[in-house]
Amino acid sequence: MQARYKTLEKERLESFVIEIETLITKADMGFAIKRLGYFVEEFAVKKNQAKRKVNLFCSRYEKFLTEERLGIFSAEENTRVWRELSYDVLKLICSVIEEYTISYKVKYEDNKGLLITKPINKIVFFAKHITKHYSRKQSNEFNLFLPELKLRFGEITSIFGENGNGKTTLLKIIAGELAQSSGKIEYPALIDSKKRDWYKIKQQIAYIPQDLPKWSGLLVDNLHFAAAIHGIKGK
């Protein structure tokens, strides 16, 4: 399964927030609340709860317009009501953003064109107390030790260090191409049960080494072979 991250969601979220804040600044509360409704529909995790608040804002704003038109309250009181409504609108935006950040959804497209959603904060790889030991006859012994590592959907994790510190070794262990000497490794988001199916796990991991090995045969034959083992059918 190949993952295609859709980064436009975050850009749209930021665009919505800027637009609503600008409308409030320009005293166009009616359109700001209308856009808030679209914002909630697209990004709110608890949609029904957020929609009720938007409807409440609409009622409050209509009441405010009526009272302002009839001159029921003073200018100072109208300003206070406007500020409270503006504050509540921005507060709802902040709460939606916070919930969305926690359970942001990344969309994956499998080989059949189906969309699969997974929460971005879900752990895809977990390692604890990982060690790798090489015994070298003509040089110093190599020992890799990793106290803990968590990789989550949607995150980008960088591994850097000097040559010989074990970066490639660690990546091979994560990709399942090298067994660790000791420690615990789990792939919670890549398996549906407690049973570890290495075939299914490795189908969901792409490891590209720094130096690519040479292949034998034609490129098209290798592409057909790779597609076949990943269940891709067609010409």
Side-chain angles (χ1 to χ4, degrees), residues 37 80 92-94 107 110 136 178 233:
R80 184 189 66 80
L92 176 59
I93 292 175
C94 291
K107 293 184 179 178
D110 67 8
R136 301 175 179 174
L178 185 66
K233 299 179 181 179

Side-chain angles (χ1 to χ4, degrees), residues 16-203:
F16 258 118
V17 173
I18 293 172
E19 180 187 6
I20 295 172
E21 289 178 342
T22 302
L23 290 169
I24 292 175
T25 303
K26 293 181 178 180
D28 194 350
M29 182 62 73
F31 194 51
I33 294 176
K34 183 178 180 179
R35 295 300 290 164
L36 178 65
Y38 289 115
F39 173 77
V40 163
E41 180 66 32
E42 184 166 350
F43 296 104
V45 176
K46 301 175 182 177
K47 292 188 186 299
N48 293 334
Q49 181 178 343
K51 286 180 180 178
R52 285 195 294 269
K53 290 184 179 180
V54 173
N55 292 334
L56 179 61
F57 292 157
C58 289
S59 300
R60 287 172 58 186
Y61 181 62
E62 290 175 359
K63 181 180 179 182
F64 166 79
L65 291 178
T66 301
E67 293 173 345
E68 184 183 40
R69 184 171 58 254
L70 297 175
I72 297 176
F73 298 110
S74 63
E76 291 78 8
E77 182 65 17
N78 287 336
T79 301
R80 184 189 66 80
V81 174
W82 176 272
R83 287 177 177 175
E84 287 182 355
L85 184 57
S86 301
Y87 172 79
D88 290 341
V89 168
L90 295 175
K91 185 178 179 181
L92 176 59
I93 292 175
C94 291
S95 65
V96 169
I97 292 175
E98 183 179 1
E99 293 172 356
Y100 180 77
T101 302
I102 294 174
S103 58
Y104 175 86
K105 292 185 182 301
V106 179
K107 293 184 179 178
Y108 291 86
E109 187 175 284
D110 67 8
N111 298 324
K112 298 180 181 179
L114 300 176
L115 289 179
I116 304 169
T117 59
K118 293 180 181 292
I120 197 171
N121 63 330
K122 190 171 184 179
I123 297 174
V124 65
F125 173 81
F126 172 75
K128 190 170 185 179
H129 298 153
I130 294 299
T131 65
K132 184 62 180 177
H133 174 75
Y134 288 116
S135 180
R136 301 175 179 174
K137 296 180 179 180
Q138 298 179 351
S139 61
N140 296 329
E141 292 185 349
F142 172 82
N143 291 285
L144 171 69
F145 174 68
L146 180 68
E148 185 175 293
L149 176 64
K150 293 180 181 180
L151 302 178
R152 304 174 186 271
F153 276 111
E155 292 183 346
I156 298 176
T157 303
S158 300
I159 302 174
F160 57 91
E162 296 181 2
N163 292 337
N165 279 2
K167 300 185 297 298
T168 301
T169 300
L170 176 59
L171 290 174
K172 286 184 176 180
I173 292 175
I174 294 174
E177 297 195 1
L178 185 66
Q180 73 273 21
S181 299
S182 63
K184 181 181 180 181
I185 288 180
E186 295 179 355
Y187 301 83
L190 301 184
I191 53 177
D192 299 327
S193 63
K194 294 183 179 180
K195 184 179 179 181
R196 180 180 295 181
D197 188 334
W198 273 114
Y199 179 75
K200 291 184 178 180
I201 291 174
K202 295 210 55 165
Q203 278 190 317

